[in-house]
Amino acid sequence: MYILMILSIIISIILISLGVIYYIDTKKKMKKEQFWSVSNSKKGVFTDKAKLCLQKQIKYSNQHTTGMLQLNECKITDIYVNSVLNLYKKIEFPEYLEAIHTKAFYNYSNLRSIKFWNNKSLTLHPYCFYKCYNLEVIEINKPSGDIILNEYCFAECKKIKTINKLLSSVIKIGKSAFLNTNITEIIFPKNLTDIGPLAFNGCKQLSKVTFNSVKLINTNLSTGNVFKDCPVNEVIVNCKLDQQYI
């Protein structure tokens, strides 16, 4: 009788100990995996190779305090909110990237420069770089493919002054995409087909705009207040337009 009671107590203690160890181990794993948290678990966003690549970059960045995250060799197609920690001053995105999702880099105060590679198609979803107050440089390596900029994607990025390299591959600009930035000049490419309302609202330094596409006739330039509160004083039209848009 007593032997059975002692055995049951010992077994209980062992089970409780195992449970505590499992809980602690799980917590550690959760902490390690926080970097990989994504808002949409339906897609396999990060492959094992991509995770390894990113982990190496994080380790390197932490050791050498470079402030740079290079994803060139990572086969990442989608980046979601909280996928990348707010640690880096410069991020180079891979050519495999297809989408940066809503609020992925919302209010990333450390971010100063981003670079895109030879993306065949890329969608920047609403608010993806919203309120990145220190973001100043947007680079694109060998522009190719089609880029879609959705609403507010670069809104309130007050240090952005030039976007013409980025625009060279853009086919659509969403509502208030560049609200309250400090862009000084815009050259709209031939492949651009749509500009949303208030796209450049409040760009107080914008003084020169160049059009190169008749496709913009189908946009709401004349009614959407695209250049509201912008001191544009020079407009160059390198195509035939039927009406005044500004």
Side-chain angles (χ1 to χ4, degrees), residues 108-156:
Y108 271 43
S109 56
N110 293 313
L111 192 59
R112 287 163 172 75
S113 173
I114 57 176
K115 184 175 183 178
F116 299 100
W117 288 78
N118 303 333
N119 305 84
K120 293 182 179 179
S121 63
L122 175 64
T123 300
L124 302 187
H125 287 268
Y127 299 91
C128 59
F129 291 98
Y130 182 56
K131 289 188 176 180
C132 291
Y133 293 119
N134 289 308
L135 179 59
E136 184 175 359
V137 179
I138 304 174
E139 296 181 87
I140 183 164
N141 182 55
K142 296 181 180 179
S144 61
D146 299 326
I147 298 177
I148 296 175
L149 307 179
N150 281 294
E151 56 263 31
Y152 295 92
C153 60
F154 289 104
E156 302 291 349

Side-chain angles (χ1 to χ4, degrees), residues 36-203:
W36 305 110
S37 62
V38 294
S39 61
N40 186 338
S41 59
K42 293 180 180 179
K43 296 187 83 173
V45 182
F46 297 105
T47 64
D48 290 337
K49 183 178 179 181
K51 285 186 179 182
L52 180 62
C53 176
L54 280 171
Q55 286 169 342
K56 287 181 179 178
Q57 289 296 337
I58 294 166
K59 184 177 180 181
Y60 181 86
S61 182
N62 289 339
Q63 288 178 347
H64 299 272
T65 62
T66 62
M68 179 185 290
L69 181 62
Q70 292 179 302
L71 307 178
N72 311 27
E73 299 178 0
C74 299
K75 292 185 178 181
I76 298 173
T77 58
D78 296 72
I79 296 179
Y80 292 86
V81 64
N82 296 327
S83 292
V84 178
L85 298 177
N86 185 9
L87 297 175
Y88 307 101
K89 293 181 179 179
K90 182 175 182 178
I91 298 177
E92 294 189 6
F93 296 104
E95 61 181 299
Y96 306 96
L97 189 65
E98 296 176 1
I100 298 178
H101 290 267
T102 302
K103 293 188 176 181
F105 296 93
Y106 169 71
N107 199 23
Y108 271 43
S109 56
N110 293 313
L111 192 59
R112 287 163 172 75
S113 173
I114 57 176
K115 184 175 183 178
F116 299 100
W117 288 78
N118 303 333
N119 305 84
K120 293 182 179 179
S121 63
L122 175 64
T123 300
L124 302 187
H125 287 268
Y127 299 91
C128 59
F129 291 98
Y130 182 56
K131 289 188 176 180
C132 291
Y133 293 119
N134 289 308
L135 179 59
E136 184 175 359
V137 179
I138 304 174
E139 296 181 87
I140 183 164
N141 182 55
K142 296 181 180 179
S144 61
D146 299 326
I147 298 177
I148 296 175
L149 307 179
N150 281 294
E151 56 263 31
Y152 295 92
C153 60
F154 289 104
E156 302 291 349
C157 296
K158 298 182 182 296
K159 289 191 176 182
I160 293 178
K161 295 181 179 180
T162 177
I163 59 171
N164 288 329
K165 286 186 178 180
L166 173 67
L167 289 185
S168 62
S169 293
V170 170
I171 59 172
K172 178 184 177 182
I173 300 175
K175 176 183 177 182
S176 300
F178 293 95
L179 170 72
N180 291 335
T181 57
N182 278 307
I183 298 167
T184 58
E185 179 185 358
I186 300 173
I187 300 175
F188 291 116
K190 292 181 179 180
N191 52 323
L192 181 65
T193 58
D194 186 33
I195 303 178
L198 302 171
F200 299 93
N201 180 20
C203 294

Side-chain angles (χ1 to χ4, degrees), residues 208-225:
K208 183 178 179 180
V209 178
T210 301
F211 295 97
N212 289 297
S213 173
V214 295
K215 293 179 180 179
L216 289 177
I217 294 174
N218 297 322
T219 71
N220 55 2
L221 281 175
S222 59
T223 59
N225 291 319

